[in-house]
Amino acid sequence: MILDRINSPKDIKGLSIQELETLASEIRNLLMHKMSISGGHFGPNLGVVEATIALHYVFNSPVDKIVFDVSHQSYTHKILTGRKDAYLNEEPKWDVSGFTQPRESEHDFFSVGHTSTSISLACGLARGRDLKGGKENIIAFIGDGSLSGGLAFEGLNVGGEMRKNLIVIVNDNDMAIAEPHGALTQYLRKLRDTKGEASDNYFKSLGYQYSYVEDGNDISSLIEAFNKVKNTPVPVVVHIRTVKGKGYTIAEDNREGWHFHAPFDIETGQKKGQGVGENYGFTVRDFLLKKMEKDPSICVITPAVPMSCGFNADIRQKLGNQFIDVGIAEEHAVTMAAGVAKNGGKPIVVSLSTFYQRAYDQILHDLCINKCPATLLIRNGSIWGDTDETHIGFFDIAMMSNIPNLVFLAPTNCEEYLAMLDWSIEQNEHPVAIRIPCNKLVHTDKPVEKDYSKLNKSSVTQKGEKVALFALGDFYQMGEEFATAIEEEFGFTPTVVNPRYITGVDSELLETLKKDHNLVITLEDGIIEGGYGQKIAAYYSTFTMRVVNLGLKKEFTDGIKAAQLLERNGLTKENIIDIIKTICF
């Protein structure tokens, strides 16, 4: 195998075109095999095998600097830059990050996992080069879906007037995660249809020289195009047309479903292991579809992640203007929702916790200052969600719980979640965020509150003494388990509280607890600093009540499993028992 001889980019520079094509086939087969075992970003990586080989053939990394947008298409880059053993490893795990990671290699310049950043990062690298008097090439590799993000335009806008070496490679596969949206999509389609000859060229209008490669999976065409722009003294865009999922027919035919894929059987494409069964995504999908059918003023807005609420292509088409995919534009999604709400609509924004970080100002300013009654559904806000460094989902409590006018809710089971969602859609006084449970789907046969307009009222689910456990959202079931352990160990029944509201405390309940409790323990699925528990600690700061906040340390984790995070943050029965022994006995 040619791949056996490849340990750094310099090892491919003497290969013939035929050898490079053979190498591409070997890498594609290796990627398919590895992802069939471990899962991963399938379609994006298979689509850019040839482009990545051509990049490293023409340019001199790491002197020439390549920035991969999102970097979920960087697997071939990693194989060519000394990390192929991670892909040859038969173990069902990754030995390297799924995204570019500077601590892994000098060929990676940034830890990147959010989209639309590459051009701005490249602009900064170019400016740094110029300040030092350097001569290296700076390359941003960005997909057409990523171009829908506002930051991509900001980068293009600034880069277009730099009049220095800046190479933007637009990897156009006519897809985001799902189908692309926005007027820019139409521009790109015109360019593809005319093989780059359309008169109204978006990139030229911003000051870039422009070239088009019809077959972005043809190595010889790519090498020719990249050689023409190497060492360019002006900003250029090389627009390449690629196929997402290239080389695996099943993925080419279902590009959305194979953007990211769990372990699978290569012959059939079927997922390995049992299906996921009942889950919150499909449960809320069915609930929303019934609501939307009865009430045409309800709409769902998503920034390019429609399956976060289980809306597949058929459902999206059926919903018509009640479903809005704004592309990779979280800021626009939130601000648009404010406008919909202000004009009488009932908007529901659905995205992931890590992506809402990009819309903090819009949540604070456009939504909450204006008190627009929109609903934000927050997925994967949990240690049971994403824990990769670039996709961490447990910062949202600290980020959002201190925004005035926002009602932030943490349901503990399916019935409570749907009740909160129904209330939020129908009320017209508050912007509301709801943290979708993530640990497992839990049902209850007990009555749940239907009206959440009396803000910050917690639910005491077990009345006890001495110790009160405030178990927020996903950690509620853990609180119940801890309560059982306390009773077995010490012989008294602790109080268990479902706080429900993250954005405030139940001062009436906290006053009541002063009578027969001397310890409050808070449990939250988020970082402690700036979180829910510290609100209770602040409330009791002038009283003798002892408060222990248990949650997560403020840190960037990288792929650490939930069980490990619980253990190392003291979220265990043993630690709870030790805390009570130390404080109460």
Side-chain angles (χ1 to χ4, degrees), residues 39-107:
H41 281 97
F42 192 89
N45 280 288
L46 261 64
V48 300
V49 174
E50 291 81 7
T52 309
I53 291 173
L55 275 174
H56 280 293
Y57 184 86
V58 171
F59 296 101
N60 181 29
S61 177
V63 177
D64 294 329
K65 296 174 175 58
I66 306 168
V67 182
F68 289 92
D69 205 276
V70 193
S71 74
H72 60 23
Q73 76 287 66
S74 63
Y75 294 176
T76 298
H77 163 75
K78 293 197 172 195
I79 289 171
L80 296 176
T81 54
R83 288 165 280 182
K84 67 180 179 184
D85 286 347
Y87 298 83
L88 293 167
N89 186 353
E90 290 285 333
E91 291 296 316
K93 62 182 178 65
W94 291 99
D95 298 317
V96 301
S97 169
F99 302 90
T100 55
Q101 181 52 260
R103 62 176 173 261
E104 288 179 4
S105 171
E106 63 179 348
H107 297 275

Side-chain angles (χ1 to χ4, degrees), residues 18 36 46 55 115 121 149 155 160 164 195 239 247 269 271 273 316 370 372 378 381 405 415 438-439 509 547 551 561:
Q18 183 176 359
S36 74
L46 261 64
L55 275 174
T115 188
L121 291 170
K164 296 286 186 178
K195 294 181 171 53
H239 181 187
K271 290 182 182 179
R316 300 194 293 265
N370 291 287
C372 297
I378 300 173
N405 297 332
E415 287 70 27
C438 198
N439 57 346
L509 172 60
V547 180
K561 299 299 183 184

Side-chain angles (χ1 to χ4, degrees), residues 90-202:
E90 290 285 333
E91 291 296 316
K93 62 182 178 65
W94 291 99
D95 298 317
V96 301
S97 169
F99 302 90
T100 55
Q101 181 52 260
R103 62 176 173 261
E104 288 179 4
S105 171
E106 63 179 348
H107 297 275
D108 295 2
F109 298 95
F110 302 97
S111 178
V112 175
H114 284 188
T115 188
S116 310
T117 65
S118 61
I119 303 173
S120 294
L121 291 170
C123 285
L125 289 173
R127 183 66 70 188
R129 172 202 61 202
D130 298 341
L131 290 170
K132 297 188 302 178
K135 300 295 183 183
E136 72 269 21
N137 291 277
I138 305 296
I139 304 106
F141 190 95
I142 187 168
D144 55 315
S146 295
L147 282 177
S148 67
L151 185 58
F153 169 76
E154 294 175 28
L156 281 170
N157 185 45
V158 171
E161 70 170 4
M162 291 177 66
R163 314 318 302 164
K164 296 286 186 178
N165 174 282
L166 178 68
I167 302 168
V168 179
I169 298 172
V170 175
N171 169 40
D172 185 356
N173 56 32
D174 195 25
M175 286 290 288
I177 296 174
E179 71 280 357
H181 291 272
L184 181 58
T185 297
Q186 308 307 317
Y187 271 102
L188 294 175
R189 185 169 293 124
K190 285 182 183 179
L191 288 170
R192 292 196 304 271
D193 290 346
T194 61
K195 294 181 171 53
E197 298 297 326
S199 57
D200 50 345
N201 188 302
Y202 172 68

